[in-house]
Amino acid sequence: MYPNWILQRSHLTPTRIALTYEQQSWTFEELKIISLERAEQLAALGIEPKSRVAILGPSTPRLVIMMFACMHLQCEMVMLNRKLSKVELQYQIDDAEVENILVDDEDVSLLPNLKKSLLFSEIESTDGQPIKVSNEWTAEQTVSIMYTSGTTGVPKGVRQTVGNHQASAVASVLNIGLSEEDVWLCAVPLFHISGFSILVRSLLYGNEVKLYKKFDANGAVTDIADGRVTHMSAVAVMLQRILQGLEDRGEEASPKFKLILAGGGPVPVNYLERAHRLKLTVSQTYGMTETSSQTATLSNKDAFRKLGSAGKPLFFNRIKIADAASPGTKGEILVRGPHVTPGYIGRFSERSATMDGWLHTGDIGYLDEEGYLYVVDRRSDLIISGGENIYPAEIENVLSGHPAVQEAGVCAVEDETWGQVPAAFIVLKAEATEDELIDFCKERLAKYKVPKYFYLVTELPRNGSNKLMRRKLIELI
Amino acid sequence: MYPNWILQRSHLTPTRIALTYEQQSWTFEELKIISLERAEQLAALGIEPKSRVAILGPSTPRLVIMMFACMHLQCEMVMLNRKLSKVELQYQIDDAEVENILVDDEDVSLLPNLKKSLLFSEIESTDGQPIKVSNEWTAEQTVSIMYTSGTTGVPKGVRQTVGNHQASAVASVLNIGLSEEDVWLCAVPLFHISGFSILVRSLLYGNEVKLYKKFDANGAVTDIADGRVTHMSAVAVMLQRILQGLEDRGEEASPKFKLILAGGGPVPVNYLERAHRLKLTVSQTYGMTETSSQTATLSNKDAFRKLGSAGKPLFFNRIKIADAASPGTKGEILVRGPHVTPGYIGRFSERSATMDGWLHTGDIGYLDEEGYLYVVDRRSDLIISGGENIYPAEIENVLSGHPAVQEAGVCAVEDETWGQVPAAFIVLKAEATEDELIDFCKERLAKYKVPKYFYLVTELPRNGSNKLMRRKLIELI
């Protein structure tokens, strides 16, 4: 039996603080009442139980409540990424065949067209219609769908079920512990698994989430130094700004602060050393959309002994390296456990996410003698920029669509702020300026995916079977 | 995927202390190594993987290791209760059709006969045989079988699966929290769910268990006052002795000590008040063999506001009262969740434990306006004596088998030490002395079930349909 997390949590600890945003707070009971009301309003507007809806909005309580309302209706929520271009959003909306798009008024201008869309304000001012909300969910039921690209650069909608989310949240608590006083600072996007999983954990654990509309280094530093929060999820670029902030102020993390879960790519060693000096506990983690957040996490205790490692699997998971006969052998990282997605929707719905029960991540890594995971090479030359995944093929596909481009190759270039940024290598067949190419990309790609550098070359490095060798691109500079 | 808890825990935190007994400690890795060795020895002696074995022994590391070895072999362990009479043990051994009985040398004299039995010493001195131990278990696999009686007084073997135990342990942590420093004092029997669930939690949480061979009030008081342990499971009679001990010494619980989980029947209000004064946190809990330990737990915070309540369900459970239209209405307590047994073995194997997914506990209770559970009457006039369940029908069945007894009725009498003790009301058809009846019972019943009082009466109170009215027995005194 899987309880409706919102109803059950409110039943168990109604008066505990669930959510804080700026100066306002809501208890679990208040969130339940408002989200049930919102669900009734959605029903009155024709949103069917178990239908598929897309949601778009900034990280505010309005969005949280809208998500919870959809969860009461057991809808499949397609989490739209606010940073995407209209072309990218349109692709996802089409692929997911959503019946409705719920959009925060603030984000209307981001949508490619307003067909099927319902404004938050419209929903909030509708008279509700009585509905029957289930006390129980099933493990297999899809809660959220998040798009992520793969080798081909074509985004796939990943299903995240009740069972996936619950297993992930529970496994995390067995790793990092739990106290009633825990408060998670959420400054990562709610449309990403990093942010949404904080909401799920809050419902399962009964702990408060302090929500930021966007990452604010200054606010985070204050919250961490004062012990106003105890946990935070961050990517390297956020961590760097927090470290800088603490250093500038000459402050340390409060003893009440427990840990920063650092995901979305590797954390530079230098950051870990500075965090250590600032008494800031950092746990590096390895996870992905397909694993509903963390699949391995390195404890702070091991941070220096196992420098560069993503740690060990969480309790309900297993990790192995394909065809690795002994520790230290590199190979594809395979993951198994109840947190692994059952598969995709849309054009990839026929494709299974796993083979023989194992998720083939495409990432290359190895396990050391003690079973610690080291990720040495990201899948499909993945570029990780400020925690966002960028697949070179996706950018190459766009550039190749430009009338003047004969072929294009994209790879990562190191960047002090973002860790990595994409660089494009282009063979032209007609005249085109860099500005033209940038504009062309901007229309079709999220801003963070637009190459920061363009290099015109006469040919791209290819191997014997004519496959683009992205790793050789950098040598062309 | 359900991991082999022992292998997974040892993989994740090999060097943490898992078990302490007297002056000795074992890490999770050590327990893994020894239990794997023991599993190989069991295999060499012909114990088949997935076969059903009975286990009998006092609460020592030897028993823990033997249990873990059986778990590696995925055996179904019938946990024999050391307090039972030979007649009772024989019934369980026959009913369970066990293929082997593993018995601690110390307990050989408790067994009705030595057929099928293997001594711990014999196992420990055997040369092992290589085996293949699975890294993964399934939710449905039976880990333990514990016998409990019901309305008819005939003991039923309750299956407790991997899924049951895991759900129970995880739900508990979402309720009471978890820290790496937690240490559970285990002074309740390992053959009971109260004790065995401490071992399961230790494997899932990675925390230390401090094991007592038997409850030692003096030792427990020291461990609690010194903060050597952080959690303990206890029944009322143990709690009373701990309170007395702290009071006598003029000490308080250490601030490091977190809570006593008080189960196996109600805790007198007076104990709660004394615990409060001694800064000892007590959480009352309601659970049973069929729910693999706790199903509801009252937080200490609510101890006085909700005096006498067993609290709220744990996160993955639901509790309702049969046919209760509104709060406050009394009725049978129904329980639902992944911790509820799938059913029985032996002569009751055809009987489902649940109806429409709900376990009908036979206990009577109500839920208040806020959803707190109050247990007002135990199933089948259940007598709870020092945390042990005694079913009147079981004693009546035995007494009725005596040649001089025409009929017998048994009910609870309040007792200052044990909470309750059984009293027998007997209609004779021939001469018999009380001593004769006591001896007759002692041969067939665990000592704690032998009635403390015998009353000779001319007839038993019965209702219109001739059903024994046990609640009226007490009026005959």
Side-chain angles (χ1 to χ4, degrees), chain B residues 69-240:
Chain B
C70 289
M71 287 156 73
H72 285 309
L73 293 172
Q74 297 174 272
C75 286
E76 299 186 347
M77 298 184 282
V78 177
M79 308 291 207
L80 296 178
N81 180 335
R82 306 176 68 232
K83 298 184 193 165
L84 297 188
S85 70
K86 289 187 181 182
V87 175
E88 291 167 311
L89 288 176
Q90 188 65 56
Y91 172 86
Q92 297 186 10
I93 290 164
D94 291 345
D95 183 65
E97 301 181 273
V98 294
E99 292 163 33
N100 290 277
I101 305 165
L102 315 182
V103 56
D104 191 315
D105 305 52
E106 200 179 320
D107 279 358
V108 165
S109 64
L110 302 179
L111 275 185
N113 70 64
L114 294 176
K115 269 191 300 181
K116 298 184 184 177
S117 67
L118 284 171
L119 292 182
F120 281 9
S121 61
E122 200 178 329
I123 300 164
E124 288 159 359
S125 60
T126 297
D127 285 333
Q129 164 190 305
I131 49 167
K132 199 178 155 352
V133 171
S134 181
N135 275 304
E136 294 181 20
W137 295 340
T138 64
E140 297 72 28
Q141 175 190 326
T142 297
V143 175
S144 47
I145 293 163
M146 298 186 187
Y147 274 82
T148 178
S149 298
T151 4
T152 59
V154 182
K156 294 178 288 193
V158 177
R159 284 185 185 278
Q160 295 162 336
T161 65
V162 167
N164 292 154
H165 285 298
Q166 190 163 302
S168 172
V170 165
S172 179
V173 98
L174 294 183
N175 184 44
I176 66 176
L178 176 66
S179 155
E180 214 175 293
E181 285 73 39
D182 290 349
V183 179
W184 278 83
L185 174 56
C186 179
V188 283
L190 292 176
F191 56 74
H192 268 186
I193 186 59
S194 56
F196 187 68
S197 65
I198 294 176
L199 294 185
V200 174
R201 287 197 289 266
S202 161
L203 291 172
L204 274 120
Y205 305 169
N207 71 266
E208 178 186 348
V209 172
K210 186 166 184 201
L211 184 66
Y212 280 19
K213 188 166 178 181
K214 52 179 68 166
F215 174 60
D216 159 20
N218 209 29
V221 167
T222 303
D223 282 341
I224 289 170
D226 292 354
R228 170 64 183 84
V229 300
T230 60
H231 294 75
M232 179 180 184
S233 298
V235 297
V237 59
M238 291 162 66
L239 177 59
Q240 141 63 15

Side-chain angles (χ1 to χ4, degrees), chain A residues 84-99:
Chain A
L84 297 188
S85 70
K86 290 187 180 182
V87 176
E88 291 168 310
L89 288 176
Q90 188 65 56
Y91 172 85
Q92 297 186 10
I93 290 164
D94 291 345
D95 183 65
E97 300 181 273
V98 294
E99 292 163 35

Side-chain angles (χ1 to χ4, degrees), chain A residues 1 3 8-9 11-12 135-136 166 170 173 177-178 180 203 301 312-318 336, chain B residues 1 3 8-9 11-12 135-136 166 170 173 177-178 180 203 301 312-318 336:
Chain A
M1 193 206 83
Q8 181 76 335
R9 177 45 65 196
H11 176 55
L12 299 185
N135 276 303
E136 294 181 19
Q166 191 164 302
V170 166
V173 99
L178 175 67
E180 214 174 294
L203 291 172
K301 212 176 283 175
K312 289 189 174 177
L314 299 195
F315 197 86
F316 304 125
N317 316 158
R318 287 174 66 199
R336 180 172 162 79
Chain B
M1 193 205 85
Q8 182 76 334
R9 176 47 63 195
H11 177 55
L12 299 186
N135 275 304
E136 294 181 20
Q166 190 163 302
V170 165
V173 98
L178 176 66
E180 214 175 293
L203 291 172
K301 213 177 279 174
K312 288 191 175 177
L314 298 194
F315 196 86
F316 304 125
N317 317 158
R318 287 174 66 199
R336 181 172 162 80

